[in-house]
Structures are given as C-alpha cells and as structure tokens.
Amino acid sequence: MDFGDGGWGPRIQDLAVAASHVVADPSLPLGGAENLIAGYASVLPLSALEARLLVGLIRARQSALILVNYWRAELFPSEAAYIKKNVARAERGLSILSTLGVREAEAAVLRAVS
C-alpha cells in the first residue's frame, strides 16, 4: 500500500492512479490499462464524465510522478537513483497516452468498458 496516495478524493482518482502504473504497451490505445479499467468499471461503472476525464487524469498522475521525483532527487542527490526508479515507466506511459486526443481517449475508455 502506498500511503502517499491515500486520502479523500473522487473515486475516479483511484482508478487513474492504478491505471497510470500499467500503461506500457504502445500497441494498445490505453497502453495495456484496458483490462484494469474494464475490471474496475464492472464493479463500479464509470459515469460519462469519468470516462471523458480518465485518460487526462492518468496523464496528470504520470506527470506528477515525474515532476515530484525529479524535484525530490534534486533535494536528495545521494538517493536520486532510488527516488527516480519509476520515472522511466511514467515517461513511457505518458508518451503512449500522448498520442490520443480527447475524443480518442474517451472512445478508448468507452471501448474498454463495453
């Protein structure tokens, strides 16, 4: 459990954080997060707004991970390698999702949950 992600927020935030960790396959529209999104939505269906915002929230999470980890690595240079251990994964995921426009992203989410 990552208590750094714990807190009160919209439920879609939990899905965005989890999905941000599995975006790795550039051959899939959502980079491989499709099954996670579908599984989540089978228990807690996504609203239209959540489906529209999800990919943007995943990108925001990946961006925040990159930004915060570089900042922390500057503060603690002797621990930089450990601190930045997930940066490459987030950069790759962000690169994969950056190919989707807003409408394409929403359509990919809707296909995953249908």
Side-chain angles (χ1 to χ4, degrees):
M1 176 174 270
D2 184 348
F3 290 102
D5 289 330
W8 291 101
R11 69 183 183 127
I12 193 67
Q13 182 176 332
D14 292 331
L15 178 57
V17 169
S20 74
H21 293 285
V22 299
V23 177
D25 184 349
S27 71
L28 298 170
L30 299 174
E34 289 83 355
N35 289 335
L36 176 69
I37 294 166
Y40 181 97
S42 73
V43 176
L44 294 171
L46 301 181
S47 71
L49 179 60
E50 290 170 330
R52 187 171 37 246
L53 295 176
L54 181 57
V55 172
L57 292 170
I58 295 169
R59 288 177 183 150
R61 170 62 180 175
Q62 291 164 330
S63 299
L65 185 148
I66 295 164
L67 177 67
V68 169
N69 282 276
Y70 271 98
W71 169 67
R72 289 183 62 228
E74 286 288 320
L75 292 175
F76 306 102
S78 65
E79 302 297 325
Y82 174 76
I83 291 168
K84 294 178 5 183
K85 69 184 182 301
N86 293 314
V87 167
R89 176 187 43 80
E91 289 173 336
R92 179 172 171 79
L94 195 54
S95 173
I96 291 166
L97 294 180
S98 71
T99 64
L100 297 173
V102 175
R103 286 189 175 89
E104 293 88 6
E106 180 181 6
V109 170
L110 293 174
R111 280 191 306 276
V113 300
S114 62

